[in-house]
Amino acid sequence: MDPANFASHVAANRASRKWSRKEKLGRFLWALAGPLFSLSPRLMWGWRRFLLRRFGATVGNDVHIYPSVKIAIPWNLVIGQSAAIGDRVVLYALGRISIGEAATISQGAHLCAGSHDHRDPRMPLTKPPISIGAGAWICADAFIGPGVTIGERAVVGARAVAVRDVGPNLVVVGNPARSIGTR
């Protein structure tokens, strides 16, 4: 592709409408509320659940979300009862992220429910959902890619990169994640 044509595709992508006015307003208000979330003391689990619910998230009872968690769009979150979201987790919820009951997302993990279609020269934004099954464990610094489903009780090992679905009870490690056994 010649550079002039490439530049026109980039310009078209940047000019495209990716968010409604309501979504833009919600994102702006969430940014303003950010300090109320991130500066709250660690043990104020209920306060962060309350704040997320006010912004449209579905959050079960007894969910522990650490104050250093980064959440792009809270109304795209569904978090089941007794789940835990650790320090410095990134929930890039451009698309829906569903986290099952009693699932654990460990420190530094990144759940990325947004990307671009590289097959289209305009590289349009995509928002494929992520689903984490009940009782699953996403270990420290793991990456879960767009459109991936992690089965119930599955384990995605530390620093693993899951860009394909992981079945129930599987233990996966590495980049790309590969199965090393069952739980």
Side-chain angles (χ1 to χ4, degrees):
M1 177 182 310
D2 73 66
N5 197 15
F6 182 73
S8 71
H9 288 303
V10 170
N13 179 310
R14 291 180 180 166
S16 68
R17 183 174 169 182
K18 298 171 184 79
W19 308 103
S20 69
R21 284 182 186 231
K22 182 179 177 183
E23 288 171 317
K24 286 179 184 178
L25 176 62
R27 292 182 80 182
F28 174 74
L29 293 173
W30 176 243
L32 290 178
L36 297 173
F37 186 94
S38 64
L39 296 177
S40 61
R42 179 175 173 224
L43 295 177
M44 291 184 69
W45 314 114
W47 166 250
R48 287 185 293 281
R49 289 190 302 263
F50 168 81
L51 193 57
L52 285 168
R53 289 173 184 143
R54 295 296 71 77
F55 277 88
T58 302
V59 181
N61 294 325
D62 198 32
V63 168
H64 285 195
I65 302 172
Y66 282 73
S68 60
V69 171
K70 300 293 181 202
I71 300 168
I73 301 177
W75 53 89
N76 283 340
L77 283 180
V78 176
I79 304 173
Q81 178 88 6
S82 301
I85 317 294
D87 275 325
R88 301 176 330 280
V89 166
V90 175
L91 298 175
Y92 193 59
L94 301 189
R96 177 172 292 260
I97 294 178
S98 300
I99 298 170
E101 183 174 319
T104 300
I105 314 298
S106 292
Q107 66 275 10
H110 186 142
L111 281 62
C112 183
S115 189
H116 294 271
D117 184 353
H118 67 276
R119 295 164 295 205
D120 184 328
R122 293 171 294 136
M123 299 260 306
L125 181 65
T126 62
K127 303 171 189 177
I130 290 174
S131 179
I132 308 297
W137 178 20
I138 310 303
C139 297
D141 295 317
F143 178 85
I144 309 300
V148 171
T149 296
I150 306 298
E152 290 186 1
R153 293 185 36 83
V155 176
V156 178
R159 299 216 167 163
V161 177
V163 292
R164 289 186 176 82
D165 292 353
V166 175
N169 298 305
L170 286 180
V171 178
V172 300
V173 298
N175 180 4
R178 65 187 181 349
S179 177
I180 60 165
T182 59
R183 186 174 185 196

